[in-house]
Every structure is written in C-alpha cells, then in structure tokens.
Amino acid sequence: MHHALHALTDELRRLKSAGVKTVSVSDASLLALRRVVASRRSAGAAEAVAAPRVEPVSPRPAVAASAVSPALQNYVAKTPILSRPVAPVAAVTHLPTPPEVKLPAGDKAVRWAALLAQVTSDETCRANVRPGKKVVLGVGSLDARIMFVGEAPGAEEETQGEPFVGPAGQLLTKMIQGMGLKRSDVYIGNIMNWRPQMPTVGGQEQIGNRPPNEDEMRYCLPFLRAQIEVVAPELLVALGSTAAQGLLGFGSFKALGEIRGQWREFAGRPLMVTYHPSYILRNQSNRSKRLIWEDLLKVMERAVLPVSEKQRGYFLER
Ligand code: URA
C-alpha cells in the first residue's frame, strides 16, 4: 500500500505539473483513499499530497488521458478501490527502438512519398496520435536550400497534418517572407512527428502542449534525418531549444542563449540555432525580434541571398 500511495502521489504531481487541475475519482475510491491517508497519518507518516484537486464525481464522467506512468497503471489495474480517473490513450514512455528508415531509389518525389508512407503507417507514431488527428511530416520544397526544424506539431498541426500552420507557423511564414523568400521555397520539418500527448479530461481536446521527452525525440529523429537526406538542404535552422537539443543532443547545452546565433553542424550540414517563433509571440518587443532576425541575417548571408539595407535594419528601432 505504501508503494502504491507513492505511485499515486507521484502521478498526481506529474499531472499537476502538466497543467491538470482536477481528476475524477468515484465516491467509493475517495473514501478508500481517505482511509489510507488517515491510517498513514495516525501512524505518524502523513505526507502532503501536492497534487491536483481530487473531486468526487457522480455520475463519473468518462475520463481519458495519456502518459499514465506504468507504476500507476499497474496500481490501478490491481486495485479495486480506485476508479480509473485516467485511461491511457497511448503509452508515450518506453518507446521501441527508433525505426530504420529505408529510402527507395528514385527521384526526390519518389523517396519523399515513400518516407511519408512509412511515417504515416508507423505503429508507434499512430499509437501516439489521438483518433481523428494526424501524424505530421515536413512540408515544402524538395529542392529547398534552407530547412527549418521546429519542435512538434501542436493542435492545428495535428489536425491539418502539416507543420507550422498555427500562430507560430504564421509568424514563421512572415519571418521567411522577411528573408525575401516564400514559404514554399523552404522546407519546414519538426523534431517530432506527433503532438506530445497530455492528459485530457472527459475525452476533450488536449489543451496546451508539452515539449517532447528525450525518448520521443530519439524515436522520431530517423524520420528527420531521412527528410534531410531527401531534400539535401544546404543549411539547417533549428527553431528553439527543443529542436536544438533534438539535433545537437539532449543536455548538450543549458540555455538556448549559450548557442543561439552560432553555427553548429548536423548531418554534415551547417546548422543555425535560433529562437522558436513562439518566443516572439510571448515577447513582442523589437529587441526579441531583432535577436531572431540577426540569426536569420546570418542564414541569408551564408546562403548568399540578397540582403537590402532595409532588411539589414529590421527591428533596430527600440
Ligand atoms: N511549433 C513547432 O515547433 N512545430 C510546429 O509544427 C508547430 C508549432
């Protein structure tokens, strides 16, 4: 019981840190939980449960959530006193070995189509996508000289099956246009091919996003490498800390500020690390915009794209 209570409190803490404010527990389960806590208290082993509010529900709504830890799943499965406040939609932990991507012979379109087929039929990718949502591969020109790499699909992306179509994507499109290019001139991919799942209540839509964990990024990386192989861009641009960690290695830097604006390398290609467009959505100052713009100027210079005086001065006025 001791171990089970720990598993439960750990899971509740995790759900809380993921933004979950309430979980549903039946009256009977709540009573049983209170008894357990009371017995531990009286034994002098009380432990504060820093957790989402636990509310009795009657009748109990259907509650769906993903990413339930194996310890809690095991506990809930074996323990009749708890209702099942969360039911795993898909396991996001313990992912299998990353896939081996085999690209066929042929031109870029043939190879990319084969890759799309492999990603969208990949069992692990599919298991991590909720019903009605899509596995997402990159988009853009297969002859792009510049490939942008973001983090993971969000709500709009998993609905449409295309990266960067939500608010951050609209800003990325403007950034690309600021460089004198069209969105269709470049290639835009993500570290992840699915939206990292978070628990939802009552089968509702997921609210908010979480960064992918190391396992998830490792699993999807072969798909990104294959896109790089097919498109063969001259330059890569990592958007944000998660993308940079996915490409350069988890824990390879502490803060993005340490490496942003610097040229690194991935898959034998120069890689510029800059902020994610969502950083600008949160910090609308010219100073923030200028930081990201300076990184993009470096990309333009390295790609030998024309840079006008006007472009050079974007966001300089404070
Ligand atoms: N943010 C990302 O990093 N990728 C997307 O596709 C959308 C938002």
Side-chain angles (χ1 to χ4, degrees), residues 48-119:
V49 179
R53 251 171 340 122
V54 175
E55 291 183 338
V57 284
S58 187
R60 176 173 9 129
V63 177
S66 63
V68 180
S69 76
L72 182 61
Q73 284 179 43
N74 194 25
Y75 173 58
V76 172
K78 286 191 184 149
T79 311
I81 61 158
L82 267 183
S83 68
R84 292 167 188 251
V86 286
V89 168
V92 296
T93 50
H94 308 303
L95 293 173
T97 313
E100 199 184 325
V101 180
K102 287 206 186 94
L103 294 170
D107 63 18
K108 287 184 174 192
V110 167
R111 284 151 64 83
W112 189 86
L115 178 57
L116 178 67
Q118 181 169 344
V119 174

Side-chain angles (χ1 to χ4, degrees), residues 136 149-158 162-169 172 183 188-192 209 239-240 242-243 276-278:
V136 181
V149 180
E151 180 176 316
E156 289 87 351
E157 289 78 16
E158 69 165 359
E162 182 173 330
F164 282 101
V165 288
L172 177 62
R183 184 175 159 108
I188 303 171
N190 272 320
I191 289 286
M192 291 297 301
N209 297 308
L239 299 167
T242 307
H276 193 279
S278 60

Side-chain angles (χ1 to χ4, degrees), residues 172-181 293 300 306 311 314:
L172 177 62
T173 303
K174 281 193 189 154
M175 286 158 49
I176 292 165
Q177 288 165 349
M179 297 169 75
L181 300 169
W293 182 245
M300 291 169 73
Q311 281 171 313
Y314 280 170

Side-chain angles (χ1 to χ4, degrees), residues 120 125-126 128-137 153-162 193-195:
T120 50
C125 291
R126 288 166 66 99
N128 278 281
V129 171
R130 286 199 165 84
K133 306 297 180 192
K134 293 181 178 156
V135 175
V136 181
L137 190 66
E156 289 87 351
E157 289 78 16
E158 69 165 359
T159 301
Q160 295 185 38
E162 182 173 330
N193 300 99
W194 66 77
R195 181 184 186 190

Side-chain angles (χ1 to χ4, degrees), residues 2-254:
H2 192 108
H3 175 76
L5 202 55
H6 271 294
L8 177 63
T9 53
D10 282 353
E11 183 61 14
L12 290 173
R13 281 196 188 99
R14 197 190 62 74
L15 289 173
K16 187 185 183 195
S17 69
V20 176
K21 298 235 171 8
T22 62
V23 294
S24 307
V25 179
S26 72
D27 291 342
S29 301
L30 195 59
L31 190 64
L33 265 176
R34 282 195 179 123
R35 277 201 199 111
V36 174
V37 173
S39 71
R40 279 172 55 77
R41 273 214 183 100
S42 60
E47 189 186 336
V49 179
R53 251 171 340 122
V54 175
E55 291 183 338
V57 284
S58 187
R60 176 173 9 129
V63 177
S66 63
V68 180
S69 76
L72 182 61
Q73 284 179 43
N74 194 25
Y75 173 58
V76 172
K78 286 191 184 149
T79 311
I81 61 158
L82 267 183
S83 68
R84 292 167 188 251
V86 286
V89 168
V92 296
T93 50
H94 308 303
L95 293 173
T97 313
E100 199 184 325
V101 180
K102 287 206 186 94
L103 294 170
D107 63 18
K108 287 184 174 192
V110 167
R111 284 151 64 83
W112 189 86
L115 178 57
L116 178 67
Q118 181 169 344
V119 174
T120 50
S121 62
D122 183 89
E123 277 180 22
T124 302
C125 291
R126 288 166 66 99
N128 278 281
V129 171
R130 286 199 165 84
K133 306 297 180 192
K134 293 181 178 156
V135 175
V136 181
L137 190 66
V139 69
S141 166
L142 297 185
D143 293 320
R145 297 177 59 212
I146 302 172
M147 181 186 290
F148 290 89
V149 180
E151 180 176 316
E156 289 87 351
E157 289 78 16
E158 69 165 359
T159 301
Q160 295 185 38
E162 182 173 330
F164 282 101
V165 288
Q170 285 154 23
L171 183 54
L172 177 62
T173 303
K174 281 193 189 154
M175 286 158 49
I176 292 165
Q177 288 165 349
M179 297 169 75
L181 300 169
K182 296 193 292 293
R183 184 175 159 108
S184 56
D185 290 332
V186 302
Y187 190 90
I188 303 171
N190 272 320
I191 289 286
M192 291 297 301
N193 300 99
W194 66 77
R195 181 184 186 190
Q197 291 191 23
M198 285 164 60
T200 63
V201 177
Q204 289 164 6
E205 290 280 315
Q206 174 171 324
I207 298 168
N209 297 308
R210 68 165 171 85
N213 62 36
E214 192 177 359
D215 269 359
E216 290 170 324
M217 294 203 274
R218 191 182 303 117
Y219 187 85
C220 290
L221 198 57
F223 294 130
L224 186 69
R225 281 188 182 278
Q227 289 170 86
I228 294 171
E229 194 183 327
V230 171
V231 177
E234 287 165 37
L235 302 175
L236 301 168
V237 182
L239 299 167
S241 180
T242 307
Q245 292 217 354
L247 297 176
L248 297 173
F250 217 73
S252 56
F253 58 91
K254 285 206 181 82

